[in-house]
């Protein structure tokens, strides 16, 4: 197994890793009617992480398939795929590509990169906690991580909403993105 120590944590040696879709969840949380939270995820995605000699120069690329959005309610999922929100037929992918590691402390990192939803690209900060590196029972090198960020959906053109009679709106503007991931060495 190719693990090295770097600043007190054990990380993989140089190489390319792919997200393990069986052990990764790309989810989101948004307020509903100002009183509760709706959670969902994207069932189809892929991602590549290139670990470099200097880990702070490593890169991440991820693609989410907008048509795979899932909240557990078919009508809501179809509405989220519609032109009111993701416009999945016209914009089948959400992408993220990091440009740099802005800061780190121990096993916590802040990645800065471009998030593209629909036809809008904005720079976001993704807070990442490195979970560790290991070898799975099948001899594959893996590492785990948790990541999160919060975006204003209206910044990406997702402006659909309805005013509520009692005040407030149907769908919150802030969307928290949460990722629990595991990556497997490819090369």
């Amino acid at each position: 197994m190719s693990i090295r120590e770097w600043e007190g944590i054990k990380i993989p040696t140089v190489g390319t890793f792919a997200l393990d879709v069986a052990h990764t969840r790309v989810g989101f949380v948004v307020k509903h009617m100002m009183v509760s939270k709706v959670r969902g995820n994207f069932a189809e995605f892929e991602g590549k992480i290139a670990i470099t000699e200097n880990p702070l120069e490593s890169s991440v690329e991820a693609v989410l398939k907008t048509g795979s959005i899932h909240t557990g309610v078919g009508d809501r999922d179809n509405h989220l795929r519609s032109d009111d929100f993701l416009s999945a037929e016209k914009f089948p992918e959400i992408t993220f590509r990091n440009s740099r590691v802005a800061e780190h402390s121990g096993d916590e990192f802040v990645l800065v990169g471009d998030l593209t939803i629909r036809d809008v690209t904005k720079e976001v900060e993704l807070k990442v906690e490195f979970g560790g590196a290991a070898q799975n029972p099948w001899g594959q090198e893996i590492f785990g991580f948790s990541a999160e960020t919060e975006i204003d959906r209206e910044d990406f053109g997702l402006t659909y909403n309805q005013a509520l009679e009692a005040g407030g709106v149907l769908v919150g503007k802030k969307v928290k993105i949460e990722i629990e991931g595991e990556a497997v060495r490819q090369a």
Side-chain angles (χ1 to χ4, degrees):
M1 187 163 84
S2 301
I3 293 180
R4 60 188 163 139
E5 189 152 325
W6 178 79
E7 294 194 8
I9 59 174
K10 292 182 190 261
I11 64 169
T13 57
V14 173
T16 303
F17 290 75
L19 289 181
D20 179 350
V21 296
H23 298 102
T24 300
R25 181 180 186 277
V26 179
F28 60 89
V29 181
V30 66
K31 281 271 201 174
H32 178 252
M33 294 189 63
M34 312 290 291
V35 298
S36 65
K37 295 176 182 175
V38 169
R39 295 182 182 276
N41 68 289
F42 291 89
E44 295 176 33
F45 56 86
E46 58 188 44
K48 182 170 39 170
I49 302 161
I51 304 292
T52 56
E53 187 61 40
N54 176 355
L56 300 178
E57 296 173 355
S58 298
S59 63
V60 175
E61 293 183 13
V63 176
L64 314 176
K65 302 297 183 181
T66 55
S68 74
I69 196 167
H70 177 75
T71 64
V73 178
D75 288 344
R76 178 173 49 220
D77 295 347
N78 289 333
H79 191 206
L80 292 171
R81 291 181 193 110
S82 78
D83 290 340
D84 284 345
F85 289 99
L86 294 173
S87 193
E89 283 189 27
K90 188 174 179 183
F91 304 104
E93 297 177 341
I94 293 172
T95 61
F96 175 79
R97 287 181 179 78
N98 81 302
S99 56
R100 69 187 187 282
V101 176
E103 58 186 81
H104 83 284
S105 176
D107 61 359
E108 295 180 356
F109 299 81
V110 176
L111 301 183
V112 176
D114 291 331
L115 178 65
T116 302
I117 301 175
R118 294 172 62 123
D119 57 350
V120 179
T121 301
K122 298 281 184 186
E123 188 174 83
V124 299
E125 287 189 352
L126 193 62
K127 294 176 185 162
V128 180
E129 181 181 355
F130 180 72
Q135 185 171 337
N136 69 20
W138 301 275
Q140 297 170 305
E141 292 178 45
I142 62 170
F143 71 86
F145 64 94
S146 299
E148 65 178 38
T149 192
E150 186 174 89
I151 62 169
D152 182 328
R153 65 184 178 86
E154 292 184 354
D155 289 347
F156 293 89
L158 305 175
T159 58
Y160 172 85
N161 225 331
Q162 287 184 329
L164 299 175
E165 191 174 308
V169 291
L170 182 66
V171 182
K173 287 176 30 170
K174 300 292 182 189
V175 179
K176 185 174 183 181
I177 299 168
E178 303 171 322
I179 304 163
E180 290 296 328
E182 192 171 292
V184 179
R185 183 179 292 276
Q186 303 297 297

